[in-house]
Amino acid sequence: MTDFTMEKGADGVAVITWDVPGKSMNVMTLEAWDVLEGLVDEALADEAVKGIVITSGKDSFAGGMDLNVIAKMKEMAGDDPARGLFDGIMNAHRILRKIERAGMDPKTLKGGKPIATALPGTALGIGLEIPLATHRIFAADNPKAKIGLPEIMVGIFPGAGGTTRLVRKMGAMAASPFLLEGKLSDPKKAKAAGLIDEVVADPLAAAKEWVLSAKDADIVKPWDAKGYKMPGGAPYHPAGFMTFVGASAMVNGKTKGVYPAAKALLSAVYEGALVPFDTALKIEARWFTHVLMHPSSGAMIRSLFINKEALEKGAVRPADVSDQRVRKLGVLGAGMMGAGIALVSAQAGIEVVLLDRELAAAEKGKAYSADYAAKGVSRKKITQDKADEMLARITATASYDDLKGCDLIVEAVFEDPKVKAEVTKAVDAVTDADCIFATNTSTLPISDLAKASKNPEQFIGIHFFSPVEKMLLVEIIKGKATGDRAVAKALDFVRQIRKTPIVVNDARFFYANRCIIPYINEGIRMVAEGVAPALIENAAKMVGMPLGPLQLVDETSIDLGAKIARATRAAMGDAYPDGAVDEVIFWMEGEGRLGRKARAGFYDYDEKGKRAGLSAAVSAKYPQAAEQPDVTEVQHRLLFVQSLEAVRALEDGVLMDIREGDVGAILGWGFAPWSGGPLSWLDMIGAPYAAERCDELAATFGPRFACPALLRDLAESGEGFYERFGGAKAAA
Ligand code: NAD
């Protein structure tokens, strides 16, 4: 069986069906291109064939290019990878161009065979680029189908003609949300936007009918016809000029120049718009090669697609534990976190008992889901019936008896070991012996909390991030006694609620907070040193961090920072390293500058809570030094301080798999996604250089930058993290 097969009908229509054996969704491979071309050649050469329809044997059309293949293309391209990649891309262009010209005479534009696509459902990436090369696209009226070009989300751009064709079809301005933001649409919206041509009940029948009636003129693409003008204007047309200047500014503003794909895409569009279509494809191929050659694209594909998916599918799940999907969940504490956990669980179809000390508090937690659902209904994201069903799954209560029959409990009560121990015991008294108990603590050691449990092997950490419904990462923490079934239960639960899990061992601040706190602290330390706050914040954003460290601490609040600092100091005693940071945050706390919630922090805020610039009061207390550091030095301090902590977490065995270290960093706290994560970043700059920078930073700024032994060892052996740990093996 091959990925594409063809059937020639008595009506003169050759139907090419894409149906990759053994996969639920079609993805394109390098070999499949040849098969497709062979079938197109055969149909074009066969006089009995009047037209061609390309469709799918599945309920969707295609999910895109096999990104595993893209990740390997560079290696496969041999000694001259750029040449190999470029040739491979140009080959795809040639095949799609053959489909587009369909055998017509290039001068008279006559005599070609109509080729249409019939999309039964979702068509993404190359799954839309192939249709865009055909003459008409018919899609089934399936509101669940997604149509679009999401490549930019994993650090590449549509490089099989999708960029050039879409811009020539709809204009640069109209195409920009689809290309630059990877916007996906259902079929009706895709038709309204001009991505596809028709939405019908039976796309295959409609496509067949169309190819049999299409005339020569119907199959000539506007850009192949005489007198073609780009919609919205090419770059030197007054309207086009505005678009391109604006787009450039917007892309640079949003990406700060660190995402090579966005910039390359824009260059391909701009340069392509100035030349004939076939030259534009060649330009697109050059820029696409450039992006594939850039280490960022490989790192992003690896972390944000391949490894993220592997973790979601249970790459680190204990293999010999049976299905642990949750049927009935108990959530203790209906505050900010508990309310969010109840919501995402009910959305996933799980029955939820939401318990607080008073019924009113539990009801208030449930009201959070009701408000969320009401918003969804008013925005037409869900129907009233579905919203009602979801809400009916949540039972608000103050009685432990209602927890009977729960197979998983997630505790999100106050961050106080005594309160946590009380509720653990109260739960043990009513639940079945096999119920798993999870705590959502952010700071308390799991192994200590487990002491209150009757079954410490059934006790685990499931650490959500706030806001629960938005944040994609869940950190699962194994205590010393935690058993495999508890890990499997936590992983199966996270899969049910469609989030990405990482599993780590128990240590102070687990993994995400362990790395993010030093980032915040480094920013605050620099303020104390007299580094301009604007330099700190901008340096962070220019290197791809979503928020500068000072904005981040304003968001999470200064008093939380002060509370954590006091607790850490108490736990660490003389070894506590952050006195310089505390001096600043305790002063801020004393001044009532508690962050956004107090409308005063490192930033000032207006009465609506909107940021109104960096605070003059902070600058008055910590005057800026006459000499300011180089922006790269600030960026290195901010990136190294996080990345070295990730390395130490790996050395300590807190992280057991480097994939989790990178995926967790991007999804958990937004570590510069272009880099693929902290360990990918260190691989990208190379261990020898990283070790050398550590030595320099440690000499100037202190031992927190000391090169970890593991990094030193990699520097000496000339390996990278991914070479040594293979993407799957444990660190120890
Ligand atoms: P919160 O104060 O908003 O909610 C706590 C809720 O627990 C309150 O509704 C309270 O009435 C209830 N509660 C207290 N004692 C109880 C008891 N004995 N029985 C039943 N209910 C009780 O707090 P939160 O921000 O939702 O945090 C809850 C937990 O989640 C904490 O352990 C915290 O460290 C952790 N956490 C918080 C965040 C965050 O960003 N806020 C992130 C991750 C984890």
Side-chain angles (χ1 to χ4, degrees):
M1 275 219 344
T2 56
D3 290 5
F4 290 94
T5 51
M6 183 162 71
E7 212 166 296
K8 296 183 216 166
D11 54 1
V13 179
V15 176
I16 296 178
T17 304
W18 192 358
D19 197 352
V20 180
K23 289 227 173 202
S24 60
M25 200 184 253
N26 292 321
V27 288
M28 194 71 179
T29 62
L30 298 179
E31 303 76 41
W33 280 112
D34 296 337
V35 181
L36 176 64
E37 182 180 24
L39 297 177
V40 170
D41 282 341
E42 184 188 331
L44 290 177
D46 186 340
E47 289 197 353
V49 172
K50 299 193 181 70
I52 304 169
V53 175
I54 303 177
T55 189
S56 153
K58 310 203 188 282
D59 57 6
S60 57
F61 184 67
M65 192 72 197
D66 182 342
L67 286 178
N68 289 290
V69 172
I70 292 205
K72 283 194 206 116
M73 263 164 71
K74 202 165 28 176
E75 290 161 36
M76 286 161 43
D79 294 346
D80 189 354
R83 173 92 249 165
L85 286 170
F86 178 75
D87 290 346
I89 298 161
M90 284 308 290
N91 188 47
H93 280 322
R94 187 183 56 72
I95 297 167
L96 292 178
R97 197 66 176 129
K98 184 185 277 184
I99 291 174
E100 192 159 54
R101 303 312 294 261
M104 71 181 70
D105 181 306
K107 290 227 164 70
T108 63
L109 305 180
K110 290 194 164 59
K113 289 185 185 177
I115 306 182
T117 0
L119 310 178
T122 290
L124 299 175
I126 194 80
L128 180 59
E129 291 184 289
I130 295 173
L132 283 170
T134 66
H135 306 124
R136 204 149 181 91
I137 308 172
F138 295 83
D141 186 6
N142 171 359
K144 289 215 168 122
K146 288 194 166 46
I147 294 180
L149 300 165
E151 285 88 340
I152 200 81
M153 309 301 284
V154 288
I156 53 175
F157 71 84
T163 296
T164 302
R165 287 195 174 86
L166 204 65
V167 168
R168 275 175 157 73
K169 196 172 156 88
M170 55 185 12
M173 182 74 110
S176 67
F178 301 104
L179 295 174
L180 281 169
E181 291 161 28
K183 179 179 169 187
L184 305 182
S185 314
D186 65 31
K188 283 205 170 117
K189 289 204 182 105
K191 175 177 155 49
L195 277 180
I196 60 168
D197 302 300
E198 305 282 352
V199 179
V200 291
D202 183 348
L204 182 57
K208 280 185 180 176
E209 199 181 316
W210 184 84
V211 295
L212 288 173
S213 64
K215 305 278 175 299
D216 279 336
D218 295 333
I219 69 166
V220 177
K221 288 290 175 70
W223 44 90
D224 285 325
K226 258 209 169 120
Y228 167 75
K229 285 210 168 55
M230 205 165 116
Y236 294 116
H237 177 278
F241 187 77
M242 298 297 285
T243 305
F244 280 92
V245 170
S248 236
M250 191 193 82
V251 166
N252 277 300
K254 276 197 177 166
T255 66
K256 314 285 182 220
V258 288
Y259 291 88
K263 206 167 167 198
L265 164 72
L266 211 55
S267 298
V269 171
Y270 176 85
E271 293 166 21
L274 299 170
V275 294
F277 186 79
D278 287 296
T279 315
L281 287 181
K282 213 182 226 180
I283 290 172
E284 187 193 287
R286 287 206 193 290
W287 280 113
F288 194 47
T289 304
H290 168 84
V291 163
L292 292 180
M293 288 297 294
H294 196 289
S296 168
S297 64
M300 281 181 80
I301 291 174
R302 184 173 63 200
S303 290
L304 290 173
F305 179 77
I306 298 172
N307 290 345
K308 175 173 173 287
E309 200 175 88
L311 296 176
E312 285 162 1
K313 287 192 172 156
V316 295
R317 186 186 186 281
D320 45 3
V321 180
S322 62
D323 186 348
Q324 294 291 319
R325 256 174 294 183
V326 177
R327 295 178 312 277
K328 185 173 173 190
L329 173 75
V331 179
L332 309 185
M336 185 168 93
M337 298 305 288
I341 296 166
L343 166 63
V344 297
S345 306
Q347 279 177 319
I350 301 170
E351 196 189 330
V352 181
V353 179
L354 180 58
L355 178 143
D356 209 297
R357 291 171 299 182
E358 308 274 334
L359 182 60
E363 298 278 11
K364 188 167 166 234
K366 180 173 174 177
Y368 185 76
S369 289
D371 288 349
Y372 186 90
K375 268 194 210 127
V377 172
S378 75
R379 290 189 194 143
K380 298 205 164 61
K381 292 215 163 140
I382 53 166
T383 62
Q384 187 65 53
D385 285 355
K386 288 262 175 252
D388 293 345
E389 270 173 40
M390 188 271 281
L391 274 181
R393 286 189 203 109
I394 305 178
T395 307
T397 184
S399 160
Y400 277 80
D401 282 342
D402 288 328
L403 296 176
K404 280 192 182 129
C406 284
D407 48 323
L408 175 69
I409 302 285
V410 177
E411 163 285 297
V413 299
F414 296 141
E415 189 75 339
D416 176 338
K418 272 202 216 103
V419 181
K420 295 212 187 269
E422 267 167 38
V423 300
T424 307
K425 291 202 173 98
V427 165
D428 274 350
V430 291
T431 48
D432 296 337
D434 60 355
C435 177
I436 301 289
F437 189 101
T439 170
N440 181 46
T441 179
S442 343
T443 56
L444 304 169
I446 305 300
S447 306
D448 289 352
L449 293 178
K451 288 179 189 151
S453 167
K454 252 197 322 205
N455 304 306
E457 75 285 357
Q458 286 170 209
F459 194 100
I460 194 163
I462 301 185
H463 183 211
F464 284 86
F465 296 84
S466 169
V468 178
E469 59 280 10
K470 287 217 181 96
M471 296 298 287
L472 300 171
L473 186 76
V474 177
E475 201 170 18
I476 295 172
I477 304 115
K478 280 165 72 168
K480 281 199 193 81
T482 303
D484 277 357
R485 199 171 64 79
V487 176
K489 186 97 196 168
L491 283 166
D492 291 356
F493 171 53
V494 172
R495 190 166 183 177
Q496 276 174 286
I497 57 173
R498 296 212 185 93
K499 296 200 182 279
T500 309
I502 60 170
V503 180
V504 300
N505 275 316
D506 194 15
R508 183 186 307 285
F509 302 134
F510 317 132
Y511 174 60
N513 287 340
R514 172 182 182 149
C515 298
I516 193 70
I517 292 171
Y519 169 68
I520 290 175
N521 285 354
E522 199 62 26
I524 297 175
R525 232 180 253 276
M526 286 191 237
V527 171
E529 287 169 17
V531 178
L535 175 56
I536 302 168
E537 295 292 88
N538 287 329
K541 286 198 233 162
M542 282 160 61
V543 82
M545 294 300 295
L547 302 184
L550 306 179
Q551 186 184 344
L552 186 57
V553 67
D554 266 11
E555 297 292 335
T556 52
S557 90
I558 302 288
D559 45 330
L560 178 66
K563 195 175 151 204
I564 292 176
R566 285 193 188 95
T568 315
R569 187 194 282 266
M572 292 182 76
D574 289 347
Y576 183 71
D578 291 326
V581 178
D582 291 359
E583 195 195 303
V584 181
I585 54 172
F586 293 159
W587 172 76
M588 302 265 298
E589 191 187 35
E591 294 288 301
R593 302 196 71 87
L594 302 183
R596 183 204 283 281
K597 65 179 183 188
R599 304 216 173 114
F602 285 101
Y603 286 82
D604 290 326
Y605 296 82
D606 67 16
E607 57 294 342
K608 286 189 187 135
K610 203 169 158 230
R611 264 177 301 121
L614 284 152
S615 155
V618 174
S619 290
K621 170 79 181 166
Y622 296 100
Q624 292 174 22
E627 212 174 305
Q628 291 291 312
D630 184 79
V631 67
T632 310
E633 181 168 287
V634 176
Q635 290 175 333
H636 275 181
R637 286 178 68 175
L638 293 173
L639 287 187
F640 269 102
V641 87
Q642 302 172 70
S643 304
L644 296 182
E645 210 47 56
V647 176
R648 288 184 204 114
L650 188 62
E651 277 182 329
D652 297 352
V654 170
L655 269 182
M656 289 171 278
D657 182 323
I658 56 171
R659 297 176 296 181
E660 296 180 299
D662 275 347
V663 174
I666 299 178
L667 301 187
W669 74 91
F671 183 94
W674 63 268
S675 69
L679 302 167
S680 287
W681 179 67
L682 291 170
D683 275 359
M684 209 180 277
I685 61 172
Y689 174 70
E692 194 186 309
R693 273 309 271 146
C694 285
D695 293 342
E696 288 161 6
L697 291 169
T700 318
F701 300 107
R704 64 189 179 283
F705 291 105
C707 184
L710 174 58
L711 182 60
R712 179 85 65 203
D713 191 49
L714 289 174
E716 278 161 14
S717 71
E719 287 169 291
F721 286 96
Y722 279 83
E723 273 169 274
R724 178 165 306 179
F725 299 114
K729 280 175 257 158

